Amino acid sequence: PKKIKINNTFTTLMWFLKSENQIFNFLSAAKDFLIGLIFPKICLSCGVNDFSLCPKCQNKIKILKTDTCIYCGKISPRGKICQNCRRKSSLTGVIVATKYSGIIKESIHQFKYDGDTELLQPLGKILVKKFSDIKIPGQITITSVPLHRTRKNTRGFNQSELLGRYLAKEVGVLYEELLKRTKPTESQIKFHRYERIDNLKGAFKAETKNLSGKKIILVDDVCTSGATLETCAKELRRAGAREVWGLVLAHGN
């Protein structure tokens, strides 16, 4: 009788938990439905409903066909750092998908600051397309520029990590968190390039010292001066990485 009582109690508990889960799912769906009625999804570019960025506007985003050295602007295959700039850089190259303007600028801002994660897919597809066009040979590992935990907790996610994981999944490449942001830093917007590098000193640390011979793709959303990518690349090189390529959605101010 005691065993039967325990079994009945367990069954009742499981039914209750299942019911609670169903109620939660229903309330969550109802909340999303009501929010959708009051604040419907509208394409940030053309105003069409049901999309944060509609397919038609996605197709308007032009992926760059000519790759250049991120520092001097000289044409360079795969965005490889040119010979003149190489001596002052830890980066092998920076692959840029688009210009930071128009639709892409608005999309990144809405994704990053307004928390519209529906934009992950269209933005991720741009990275996948550019990465597939570049065709970096050999075995690679994808990682991303990390956020400090305080900023990540405030925002709820790291946009660069989401993009990196999306890319890795779509192209069938390993994703690893290879860097940690060890301290919060001031916004880079008000600084010039070398001031930005100073602002980032000691901000990143490699999670492992065993990257010997590895080829790393470092994903970020936007590159302006290249200071953040450069600082991260230096840490990855110190940990033994053979090549560090930046891969960004957009370049510009």
Side-chain angles (χ1 to χ4, degrees):
K2 192 173 183 179
K3 187 176 180 181
I4 293 172
K5 186 176 180 180
I6 291 172
N7 286 340
N8 288 340
T9 303
F10 179 76
T11 302
T12 303
L13 178 62
M14 291 304 295
W15 176 85
F16 176 76
L17 290 173
K18 186 177 180 181
S19 299
E20 285 286 297
N21 191 47
Q22 288 173 341
I23 291 169
F24 175 81
N25 289 340
F26 172 77
L27 291 175
S28 181
K31 180 197 75 173
D32 291 343
F33 176 73
L34 289 172
I35 289 174
L37 286 177
I38 300 169
F39 305 106
K41 285 282 184 186
I42 297 175
C43 175
L44 57 86
S45 180
C46 69
V48 170
N49 286 347
D50 299 327
F51 296 97
S52 291
L53 186 63
C54 75
K56 186 176 179 180
C57 291
Q58 288 178 40
N59 291 333
K60 291 179 181 178
I61 297 172
K62 293 182 179 179
I63 296 177
L64 297 177
K65 293 182 179 179
T66 303
D67 300 304
T68 61
C69 171
I70 199 73
Y71 296 126
C72 68
K74 182 180 178 180
I75 293 175
S76 180
R78 299 192 185 102
K80 195 167 185 178
I81 304 301
C82 73
Q83 192 169 357
N84 291 335
C85 299
R86 195 176 302 159
R87 58 187 174 80
K88 60 184 179 182
S89 180
S90 297
L91 287 159
T92 307
V94 179
I95 303 157
V96 179
T98 64
K99 289 182 179 179
Y100 188 53
S101 61
I103 297 173
I104 195 73
K105 186 173 183 177
E106 292 178 50
S107 299
I108 291 172
H109 192 280
Q110 188 159 312
F111 173 45
K112 189 173 179 176
Y113 299 113
D114 296 340
D116 190 351
T117 51
E118 186 180 296
L119 287 164
L120 172 61
Q121 186 176 30
L123 294 177
K125 283 181 177 178
I126 294 169
L127 279 185
V128 171
K129 178 68 168 63
K130 183 64 179 181
F131 180 81
S132 301
D133 288 346
I134 288 294
K135 294 182 173 63
I136 293 178
Q139 188 173 357
I140 63 171
T141 300
I142 294 174
T143 193
S144 57
V145 173
L147 281 180
H148 190 265
R149 64 179 183 277
T150 54
R151 187 169 294 178
K152 187 175 180 179
N153 289 340
T154 300
R155 189 173 295 171
F157 61 91
N158 174 3
Q159 73 285 347
S160 299
E161 179 186 345
L162 293 183
L163 289 166
R165 289 186 182 279
Y166 182 93
L167 172 67
K169 183 179 178 181
E170 291 297 309
V171 300
V173 171
L174 177 68
Y175 178 91
E176 288 189 70
E177 290 188 25
L178 299 179
L179 291 163
K180 181 179 181 181
R181 196 147 192 163
T182 55
K183 68 175 186 178
T185 53
E186 292 185 64
S187 173
Q188 296 281 77
I189 295 173
K190 62 182 180 180
F191 297 118
H192 295 296
R193 182 172 186 270
Y194 291 105
E195 292 174 324
R196 290 180 177 191
I197 291 175
D198 286 338
N199 183 46
L200 292 169
K201 277 184 179 177
F204 301 102
K205 185 178 180 181
E207 289 279 64
T208 175
K209 293 182 179 180
N210 189 25
L211 296 178
S212 181
K214 289 209 172 200
K215 191 180 291 189
I216 310 295
I217 303 294
L218 177 63
V219 175
D220 205 1
D221 55 346
V222 180
C223 172
T224 49
S225 68
T228 300
L229 293 174
E230 181 63 52
T231 308
C232 289
K234 186 176 287 188
E235 287 302 306
L236 293 169
R237 291 277 199 177
R238 281 177 181 167
R242 180 165 59 92
E243 293 182 15
V244 181
W245 294 82
L247 174 61
V248 296
L249 266 175
H251 177 230
N253 296 314

